[in-house]
Amino acid sequence: MKISIIGVGLIGGSIALKLKEKGVAEFIYGIDKSDKHLNEALDLKIIDAKVDLEYGIKNSDLVIVAIPVDGAGRILPDVLDLISENQTVMDAGSTKAGIVEAIKDHPKRSRFVAFHPMWGTENNGPKSAIADSFSGKAGVICNKEESAEDALHLVEKIVESLDMHLIYMNAGDHDLHTAYISHISHITSYALANTVLEKEREEETIFQLASSGFSSTVRLAKSHPEMWVPIFRQNKENVLDVLNEHISQLRKFKSALEKENYEYLEELIKNANKIRGILDK
Amino acid sequence: MKISIIGVGLIGGSIALKLKEKGVAEFIYGIDKSDKHLNEALDLKIIDAKVDLEYGIKNSDLVIVAIPVDGAGRILPDVLDLISENQTVMDAGSTKAGIVEAIKDHPKRSRFVAFHPMWGTENNGPKSAIADSFSGKAGVICNKEESAEDALHLVEKIVESLDMHLIYMNAGDHDLHTAYISHISHITSYALANTVLEKEREEETIFQLASSGFSSTVRLAKSHPEMWVPIFRQNKENVLDVLNEHISQLRKFKSALEKENYEYLEELIKNANKIRGILDK
């Protein structure tokens, strides 16, 4: 199968590497606004050729859109305009309602499958791509009833080739759940980094004292705004809802400390400990 | 050297394993209120014998107190009562001002060295001990001028044997810095877990969707209250100060989203990204 990947960064690059490794992709066209990224992707054998949008799309069985969600929503109608009824388009974006809405009345809507692989790192660009990154993680397909059967079937096979376990969800539910499970984690991590940078003026001390606990909590704060501003923008309502809840949860810790109510503090911590049972099933 | 370890859990156990591996400890006495933990520690060859407090102390060159910080503050005067001027006592607690204060007028104060290894995990008990856990991390010695030269020298050698890089700090500064670098991370992680548990009623969905990002941010929320309530209690003022700043940082994200001010959101994220340059030196 010939595949075009629009956006040869962390996600697009990782998908490409895995699909080549599995023998699913016989030839990969890379399309990216950054020529530097395209050249890096060529060097790393992530793609076989760098082409323009039109050429890539015309010559591929499958087109994978792996750029930030605002760009994906803008480019997708053009991509669908260019394909035939024998071709399939999928995305890999972290929010789904906006994407699905952007093309809902497009005459070739059924050739598109909305996809979100539940994996990412704080890094970007083709150099950060890892073939095995998706293994064992959830691959979510949204609004499958709006896709043609053969297009859906093809993307399901791709998700299997990525060694992900498939989950079906409607786009609205997806955006709600990812606000809880993923987006709020990024905001807390950004805010934590800003807290430490604001309060701890001695950079050398941060560097010297930083424990594995701090590094793990603040890791996501390294994530780039090019990817995350559009996600927060598209999922604003859900993110605000969860953020409000999070601030009120933090206020409970504040109140327990201020009132020196250590039984309540223990209760809050014991409740949080329940996450162990859920994550370590 | 013969060593008594009071508290054969994650920290005490890890220190014991490393000091045995390095040939520094020829015999380790284990002292713990949990007989289950003592037996596990014996099975895992973390300790060579389980003994009572008095016997262990009388027969050791070095006594390491590795129990939660409230207990350490209570037991330390008794430990110092029992030792001779040829013996040394060190602790491994996450807060230092309270410990140092608890024994500041003790006639054998100079035999004690206040220590904090900047490492930990969300697990507890001897089964979670790891010999190599401390390598490359910071080992902080506080108020070194209050310790006798030979006692300080011995503990410095222990810290070197743990493969840690030594930092000296006064106890007050230590507690301020660890509030930024470590304690607030735990509160945000606990609050994040509680947020998700409150908002996301479908446990199966959390489990299925949880990405590596979420798992890493929420990892510390698995940490036990027996260890962390005393830390927050002892470091209340600093933790409250940082927590207030953190809530106000989160409010900036909230405000940027509510006002749809995406330039400001980007600015907040770009500022947070600076943590990369500091952590990845």
Side-chain angles (χ1 to χ4, degrees):
Chain A
M1 176 169 33
K2 288 181 179 161
I3 300 177
S4 275
I5 296 191
I6 304 175
V8 294
L10 171 71
I11 300 298
S14 298
I15 292 176
L17 285 173
K18 185 74 178 185
L19 294 182
K20 283 190 152 193
E21 192 184 289
K22 287 275 183 144
V24 174
E26 65 192 76
F27 199 94
I28 295 186
Y29 295 107
I31 299 153
D32 203 297
K33 64 177 180 181
S34 159
D35 204 51
K36 180 172 165 280
H37 278 186
L38 284 172
N39 290 333
E40 285 175 8
L42 273 171
D43 285 349
L44 294 163
K45 300 197 190 312
I46 288 172
I47 59 172
D48 301 297
K50 51 175 184 174
V51 293
D52 65 23
L53 185 73
E54 199 157 340
Y55 184 90
I57 291 175
K58 289 282 181 207
N59 290 284
S60 300
D61 306 294
L62 173 68
V63 178
I64 302 176
V65 180
I67 58 177
V69 291
D70 54 344
R74 279 194 302 268
I75 208 175
L76 215 45
D78 301 337
V79 172
L80 288 177
D81 286 347
L82 287 166
I83 62 160
S84 74
E85 287 293 339
N86 298 320
Q87 292 172 289
T88 299
V89 181
M90 65 188 283
D91 78 325
S94 299
T95 52
K96 295 265 77 83
I99 284 275
V100 160
E101 180 66 22
I103 50 148
K104 78 171 194 305
D105 298 322
H106 195 285
K108 291 184 211 142
R109 165 64 183 92
S110 71
R111 303 312 307 162
F112 173 71
V113 180
F115 174 61
H116 179 207
M118 295 299 296
W119 176 83
T121 74
E122 67 279 20
N123 302 314
N124 71 346
K127 285 182 178 167
S128 55
I130 308 163
D132 245 357
S133 43
F134 302 106
S135 303
K137 305 291 191 307
V140 188
I141 289 180
C142 290
N143 296 22
K144 67 170 178 168
E145 62 289 349
E146 293 169 20
S147 301
E149 212 165 305
D150 67 309
L152 178 64
H153 191 63
L154 176 63
V155 174
E156 286 169 341
K157 293 202 81 164
I158 294 290
V159 180
E160 271 169 40
S161 299
L162 296 174
D163 292 333
M164 307 193 90
H165 60 94
L166 249 170
I167 299 179
Y168 301 98
M169 223 174 251
N170 76 57
D173 285 348
H174 169 277
D175 287 5
L176 184 70
H177 291 307
T178 51
Y180 304 146
I181 306 293
S182 165
H183 306 171
I184 188 69
S185 290
H186 283 79
I187 291 192
T188 57
S189 198
Y190 287 133
L192 183 64
N194 285 345
T195 302
V196 172
L197 292 167
E198 178 67 30
K199 297 293 282 186
E200 177 65 274
R201 295 296 183 180
E202 298 164 41
E203 290 194 2
E204 197 54 31
T205 312
I206 301 179
F207 174 65
Q208 285 196 320
L209 288 184
S211 60
S212 49
F214 178 68
S215 303
S216 116
T217 323
V218 92
R219 178 172 69 81
L220 299 180
K222 303 172 185 174
S223 307
H224 286 239
E226 295 75 20
M227 173 170 174
W228 281 94
V229 170
I231 291 173
F232 297 140
R233 185 174 193 150
Q234 295 227 353
N235 208 15
K236 193 190 75 165
E237 296 302 331
N238 289 323
V239 170
L240 267 176
D241 187 33
V242 186
L243 181 52
N244 280 323
E245 175 64 31
H246 183 55
I247 291 173
S248 95
Q249 290 292 342
L250 281 168
R251 289 194 166 285
K252 291 181 186 177
F253 282 87
K254 178 173 143 97
S255 155
L257 278 171
E258 279 173 346
K259 292 176 184 155
E260 306 196 4
N261 185 345
Y262 297 109
E263 287 77 30
Y264 182 41
L265 187 61
E266 187 178 343
E267 205 180 287
L268 292 171
I269 292 178
K270 281 189 171 162
N271 190 64
N273 286 166
K274 289 181 195 157
I275 203 76
R276 181 186 284 266
I278 295 170
L279 287 181
D280 303 349
K281 270 185 188 177
Chain B
M1 177 168 30
K2 287 181 181 162
I3 299 176
S4 274
I5 296 192
I6 305 176
V8 294
L10 171 70
I11 301 298
S14 298
I15 292 176
L17 284 173
K18 185 74 177 184
L19 294 183
K20 282 191 151 193
E21 193 184 287
K22 286 274 182 144
V24 174
E26 66 193 75
F27 199 92
I28 295 186
Y29 296 106
I31 299 154
D32 203 297
K33 65 179 178 178
S34 157
D35 203 52
K36 181 171 163 282
H37 277 186
L38 284 171
N39 290 332
E40 285 175 10
L42 273 171
D43 286 347
L44 293 163
K45 302 197 190 308
I46 289 173
I47 60 172
D48 300 296
K50 52 176 182 173
V51 293
D52 65 24
L53 185 73
E54 197 156 343
Y55 184 91
I57 292 175
K58 289 281 181 207
N59 289 284
S60 300
D61 305 294
L62 173 67
V63 179
I64 302 176
V65 180
I67 58 176
V69 290
D70 54 343
R74 278 193 303 269
I75 208 175
L76 214 45
D78 300 337
V79 172
L80 289 177
D81 286 346
L82 287 167
I83 62 160
S84 74
E85 286 293 339
N86 298 320
Q87 292 172 290
T88 298
V89 181
M90 66 188 283
D91 79 325
S94 298
T95 53
K96 295 264 76 82
I99 285 276
V100 160
E101 179 67 22
I103 50 149
K104 79 171 194 307
D105 296 323
H106 195 285
K108 291 183 211 144
R109 166 63 183 92
S110 71
R111 304 311 307 161
F112 173 71
V113 180
F115 174 62
H116 179 207
M118 294 300 295
W119 175 83
T121 74
E122 68 279 19
N123 302 315
N124 71 345
K127 286 182 178 168
S128 56
I130 307 165
D132 245 358
S133 43
F134 303 106
S135 301
K137 304 291 190 309
V140 188
I141 288 180
C142 290
N143 296 23
K144 68 171 178 167
E145 63 289 351
E146 293 169 20
S147 301
E149 212 165 305
D150 66 309
L152 179 65
H153 190 63
L154 176 63
V155 174
E156 287 169 341
K157 293 203 80 164
I158 294 290
V159 179
E160 271 170 41
S161 299
L162 296 175
D163 292 333
M164 308 193 91
H165 60 94
L166 249 170
I167 299 179
Y168 302 96
M169 220 174 253
N170 77 54
D173 285 348
H174 169 278
D175 288 4
L176 183 70
H177 291 308
T178 51
Y180 304 145
I181 306 293
S182 164
H183 306 171
I184 188 69
S185 289
H186 282 79
I187 289 191
T188 58
S189 198
Y190 286 133
L192 182 64
N194 285 345
T195 302
V196 172
L197 292 167
E198 179 66 30
K199 298 291 284 185
E200 177 65 273
R201 294 299 184 179
E202 297 164 41
E203 290 194 1
E204 197 54 31
T205 312
I206 302 179
F207 173 65
Q208 285 196 320
L209 287 184
S211 60
S212 48
F214 178 69
S215 303
S216 117
T217 323
V218 92
R219 177 172 69 82
L220 300 180
K222 302 173 186 174
S223 307
H224 286 238
E226 294 76 18
M227 174 171 175
W228 282 95
V229 170
I231 291 173
F232 296 139
R233 186 175 191 150
Q234 295 226 352
N235 208 14
K236 191 189 77 164
E237 296 302 331
N238 289 323
V239 169
L240 267 176
D241 187 33
V242 186
L243 181 52
N244 280 325
E245 176 65 31
H246 183 55
I247 290 173
S248 96
Q249 290 293 342
L250 281 169
R251 290 195 166 284
K252 292 181 186 177
F253 281 87
K254 177 174 143 98
S255 155
L257 279 170
E258 277 173 348
K259 293 177 184 154
E260 306 195 5
N261 185 345
Y262 297 109
E263 287 77 31
Y264 183 40
L265 187 61
E266 188 178 342
E267 204 180 288
L268 292 171
I269 292 177
K270 281 189 168 160
N271 189 65
N273 286 167
K274 289 180 195 157
I275 203 77
R276 182 187 285 266
I278 295 170
L279 287 182
D280 302 349
K281 269 186 188 176

